Each structure stands twice: as C-alpha cells, then as structure tokens.
Amino acid sequence: MSTATDLVTHMRDYFLGHNSPEETWAEDLVIETPFAPPGHPRRFEGRQAFLDATRQERESFPVRFDEMRDVTVHDAGDTLVIEYELAATLPGTGQQESARFIAVARMREGKVAYWREYQDTRAVAEALARITG
C-alpha cells in the first residue's frame, strides 16, 4: 500500500483541483457516502460511474476549495481513517466557510481504491446556505 501521506496528498490535490480524477481514483473505485442527502446516491462503483453521476453537481458547486487542513490520520494497516477540514471560498465575494469530514480509505497501486466519507452534513448545509444566501 502507498503511504498515508500519499493518500492524503492525492485527496488534497483532487479536492483543490490540482490533479485529475484519473490521477486520483482507481478505475474500479468504490465510494460510499452513508450520510448523503436525500435523493443522492450513497454508493458508487467504478470511477466513471462516480464521475458521470456527479458531473453536474461538481460543475455547479458554488465554492472553490482552498485548503484541506487539520488532517489527522489513523493508520489501521491496509485501511486509513482520515479526519480533516475543507475550507472553501465563494468566488467573487471572498466569503469563506469550512466543514469537517472523516474518511475511511484504501489505496492500491498509487490510487485511491476505496473512499467512505462521513460529512458533518449540518455544517455543510449551513455553510452553503450562508454562501449562497
């Protein structure tokens, strides 16, 4: 397995728009979001299925992520638990918000193969409401 540092770097670069999905996600990627909002999928199988299902949402997302900070990694062998905060800015206004996340992840051959994310959905919703008014 690649190191915890490699995985965090891959994800940070992806969140901040510095690398492509093909550089980050394994082709047979599995993503799970158990606390996804109603009407949103909670599981994606395959990188292309994930990208196709979330393309419109990503393109219309009203913020630009600036920083992945306060990262803590718990190494459980082939699985990592990562606690982090994403900070974002609304383009045009400079208004900043952040929210905390926890992810359970595995890498294979230098790419993220499994990502199970737990969001503070209330904080995310409140931040988006403040940003989009």
Side-chain angles (χ1 to χ4, degrees), residues 6 18 29 53 58 67 88-89 95 112 115 122-123:
D6 293 339
H18 301 309
L29 168 73
R58 287 189 322 272
E67 186 179 10
T89 301
Q95 185 172 342
V112 179
W115 187 261
R122 181 174 163 187

Side-chain angles (χ1 to χ4, degrees), residues 34-101:
F35 299 123
H40 288 79
R42 293 174 185 237
R43 182 178 172 93
F44 300 93
E45 294 186 27
R47 177 179 64 210
Q48 196 58 51
F50 169 70
L51 295 174
D52 291 346
T54 60
R55 178 172 286 117
Q56 184 177 358
E57 184 177 345
R58 287 189 322 272
E59 289 172 356
S60 65
F61 202 63
V63 300
R64 178 194 71 238
F65 291 114
D66 300 314
E67 186 179 10
M68 181 180 177
R69 61 188 181 208
D70 298 329
V71 177
T72 302
V73 178
H74 308 276
D75 191 338
D78 68 341
T79 301
L80 301 171
V81 177
I82 307 151
E83 301 176 60
Y84 61 98
E85 181 177 13
L86 281 179
T89 301
L90 179 65
T93 70
Q95 185 172 342
Q96 296 181 327
E97 294 288 343
S98 65
R100 302 235 9 113
F101 298 80

